[in-house]
Amino acid sequence: MTSNNKMKEHIITLSAEETPTSWYNIQADLPESLSPPLDSTTLKPINPQLLERIFAKELVRQEISAERYIKVPEEVFDAYLRLPRPTPLYRAKRLEKYLKTPARIYFKCEHFSPTGSHKTNTAIAQAYYNKKQGINRLVTETGAGQWGTALAFSCAIFGLKCRIYMVRASFQQKPGRRIIAQVYGAEMFPSPSDQTNFGRKLLKENSNHPGTLGIAISEAIEDTLTSEDTRYSLGSVLNHVLLHQTIIGLEAKKQFELIDAYPDVVCGCIGGGSNYAGFGFPFMMDKLKGKTDTEFVACESKAVPHTTRGVYTYDFGDTAETTPLLKMLTIGHGYACPPIHAGGLRYHGMAPLISYLINKGYMRSVAYSQTEIFEAAKMLAQTEGLIAAPETAHSLKYVVDEALKCKKTGEEKVIAMNYSGHGLLDLTAYEQFLANKLVNYEPQKIKVPAFQVKKGG
Ligand SMILES: *Cc1c(COP(=O)(O)O)cnc(C)c1O
């Protein structure tokens, strides 16, 4: 197996027996514990038990756990194998050749899942724990629809009802993923909707309100709180979501072992931070222990510069101010995210775990414009034949720049990137790019609230 993989090195695969059976919880290895979520009215730490009305019990437990490894339940493991996992580690040799770089470029292929992104890794786990607890129905929100399709898929395979509040503008303009979720049996409503008090109030003011992710979150939470048999599900940001995604990096680490390599650079794109954390944290474990000096680079949009221009402070997770306060890098929960095509990167905050690591200097981040990232995506399509999601293309841009730097210096760096999803449902974005019609949005006004958090809580 090893020598075979070494010789070929085009695609590094793992067998089912070699698949990791636990997730990695980075909270066990941080130099200090994370600042806890706060109740926004008292500014005191939230009692985790209160969260059990919103999330499945086991997910709340995982959210605050300090155990280093958490076992993947058998049913989840079985569903992972059918995604299929393990996903391949792909060497982008034709891209290397085109760039004439001595660097070696590797992609971890998360675009092979039925819905085309990494999001199924946590959707499956969340559906499973809710089902096991006897919950009947999951409710969530979705923007462009990647998370909605992943949760609808997972509810279908575990036999749960699924309801999704989809940002109205996307519901109307981007029907592809809405239809996919409906085929899986999910109930889809354009948000603001007539299903909640909050939605009805907004519709009264404007019957064709375009909606925002923040509004959709508020509707999903209101819906959850009005039905006893229902729980809410979130696709990124929170610790338990990042935990489930570490299956990506744990596999990748084994795959690099098989070819006797270790990444010099670990990169990926960041919306809420889950795919990059999932890929990067198992490698970050070694850096936290002082074993490596691997560089960690997170890539975002210049139009939503949540980590490159954000403030590390407490802020709301949603626009309507319904969630607890999270300590994170944020550009403010009222930030008007411009309509970039990378819908998955349009979020004002960043996962508390990623925010902490950037703030402490363990990771750094970079930001790109729409035109730059589509240039890189076109280069990839014309060398490797892969059509990347606009989100994924942000880290491609970084990879291309880094590989060209290596060409100048002669460094044979090993560059590892998480290929978070394909772009086959984002073709109108590519069409606009080819027609030179893409807009490079400027960052909007950044206004971050200042909460006077009391010491000792
Ligand atoms: C949702 C999404 C992202 C951004 O979300 P993270 O939680 O930061 O991973 C990135 N890429 C793709 C393909 C996505 O669907």
Side-chain angles (χ1 to χ4, degrees):
M1 185 82 197
T2 304
S3 60
N4 191 27
N5 262 325
K6 243 188 208 169
M7 260 166 30
K8 292 219 182 86
E9 225 199 277
H10 295 95
I11 299 245
I12 300 111
T13 51
L14 293 177
S15 64
E17 293 72 41
E18 294 167 304
T19 306
T21 51
S22 296
W23 294 298
Y24 168 57
N25 178 10
I26 199 169
Q27 293 192 74
D29 291 321
L30 294 182
E32 60 203 298
S33 46
L34 279 187
S35 308
L38 302 181
D39 182 309
S40 65
T41 50
T42 63
L43 299 185
K44 287 187 176 161
I46 286 254
N47 176 356
Q49 273 176 352
L50 291 177
L51 296 173
E52 291 177 4
R53 181 59 190 85
I54 308 270
F55 298 106
K57 276 196 185 115
E58 178 59 21
L59 299 173
V60 175
R61 198 187 69 79
Q62 292 177 355
E63 187 64 20
I64 52 174
S65 169
E67 261 175 85
R68 182 168 289 114
Y69 291 101
I70 294 177
K71 199 176 173 322
V72 180
E74 232 169 82
E75 292 86 341
V76 174
F77 189 79
D78 180 75
Y80 275 178
L81 293 183
R82 287 163 195 282
L83 274 175
R85 299 207 73 85
T87 59
L89 184 70
Y90 178 93
R91 169 113 184 247
K93 275 195 176 172
R94 290 175 293 213
L95 178 63
E96 291 169 13
K97 203 169 154 203
Y98 175 81
L99 295 168
K100 301 194 177 67
T101 179
R104 289 192 278 163
I105 301 171
Y106 295 91
F107 297 147
K108 181 65 169 155
C109 300
E110 292 303 303
H111 61 297
F112 286 155
S113 86
T115 58
S117 83
H118 65 283
K119 291 203 171 73
T120 40
N121 298 329
T122 187
I124 285 173
Q126 293 190 40
Y128 167 75
Y129 287 122
N130 276 285
K131 179 74 181 180
K132 198 169 153 234
Q133 190 184 315
I135 299 300
N136 275 322
R137 194 174 77 119
L138 281 181
V139 179
T140 196
E141 72 290 327
T142 196
Q146 281 134 330
W147 170 240
T149 54
L151 193 68
F153 160 82
S154 303
C155 286
I157 61 177
F158 284 108
L160 283 157
K161 286 187 202 152
C162 182
R163 171 180 281 215
I164 300 169
Y165 291 92
M166 184 170 187
V167 174
R168 183 178 292 269
S170 305
F171 189 94
Q172 289 165 345
Q173 289 155 25
K174 296 183 181 171
R177 292 199 181 87
R178 160 172 62 81
I179 298 166
I180 291 171
Q182 285 169 328
V183 173
Y184 285 132
E187 271 185 304
M188 303 291 290
F189 291 99
S191 167
S193 74
D194 59 3
Q195 300 291 306
T196 65
N197 287 330
F198 188 55
R200 283 188 290 269
K201 181 176 152 257
L202 294 173
L203 283 179
K204 223 174 173 181
E205 293 160 13
N206 175 4
S207 62
N208 204 28
H209 195 303
T212 68
L213 208 52
I215 294 169
I217 294 177
S218 307
E219 286 203 277
I221 293 178
E222 184 187 324
D223 184 316
T224 304
L225 291 175
T226 47
S227 317
E228 199 48 53
D229 69 341
T230 296
R231 289 293 179 275
Y232 171 68
S233 185
L234 196 67
S236 188
V237 182
L238 296 180
N239 303 338
H240 68 268
V241 181
L242 276 53
L243 170 79
H244 303 149
Q245 294 295 353
T246 60
I247 190 73
I248 304 173
L250 290 164
E251 286 175 10
K253 225 171 157 182
K254 285 197 174 185
Q255 287 164 316
F256 276 111
E257 270 167 31
L258 287 177
I259 54 166
D260 276 337
Y262 194 94
D264 296 300
V265 181
V266 171
C267 65
C269 61
I270 45 169
S274 73
N275 87 85
Y276 182 54
F279 182 54
F281 283 180
F283 297 101
M284 180 58 81
M285 171 166 70
D286 298 336
K287 184 161 173 163
L288 287 170
K289 291 179 179 164
K291 288 199 221 159
T292 66
D293 52 8
T294 293
E295 240 193 297
F296 289 81
V297 184
C299 307
E300 65 190 23
S301 164
K302 270 188 180 161
V304 189
H306 39 16
T307 70
T308 48
R309 300 184 58 182
V311 182
Y312 187 51
T313 187
Y314 274 102
D315 194 6
F316 287 102
D318 69 331
T319 326
E321 308 188 344
T322 45
T323 71
L325 298 171
L326 297 174
K327 177 93 178 269
M328 60 183 173
L329 281 164
T330 174
I331 44 181
H333 63 281
Y335 187 80
C337 291
I340 51 170
H341 287 288
L345 306 192
R346 292 180 72 223
Y347 183 65
H348 67 274
M350 179 48 51
L353 282 166
I354 297 259
S355 298
Y356 174 84
L357 291 166
I358 292 179
N359 187 249
K360 288 283 172 192
Y362 288 104
M363 287 181 172
R364 66 187 178 89
S365 52
V366 290
Y368 300 112
S369 70
Q370 286 213 108
T371 329
E372 289 176 308
I373 64 113
F374 275 99
E375 287 291 351
K378 186 175 90 176
M379 189 186 294
L380 184 75
Q382 297 187 356
T383 52
E384 299 287 349
L386 295 169
I387 297 191
E391 292 85 357
T392 312
H394 286 73
S395 44
L396 283 174
K397 165 64 181 162
Y398 171 76
V399 166
V400 168
D401 285 357
E402 188 63 21
L404 289 174
K405 235 188 247 169
C406 290
K407 181 177 166 185
K408 277 202 189 125
T409 61
E411 284 175 286
E412 296 175 13
K413 278 191 186 175
V414 174
I415 302 174
M417 180 190 118
N418 195 41
Y419 195 92
S420 58
H422 69 64
L424 296 176
L425 291 161
D426 302 281
L427 294 179
T428 50
Y430 276 90
E431 185 181 35
Q432 287 180 12
F433 167 71
L434 292 176
N436 278 320
K437 281 187 185 153
L438 279 186
V439 181
N440 287 324
Y441 298 97
E442 289 301 315
Q444 305 297 298
K445 193 163 174 250
I446 293 170
K447 192 168 155 260
V448 180
F451 294 100
Q452 297 301 318
V453 178
K454 290 157 206 130
K455 262 236 147 91

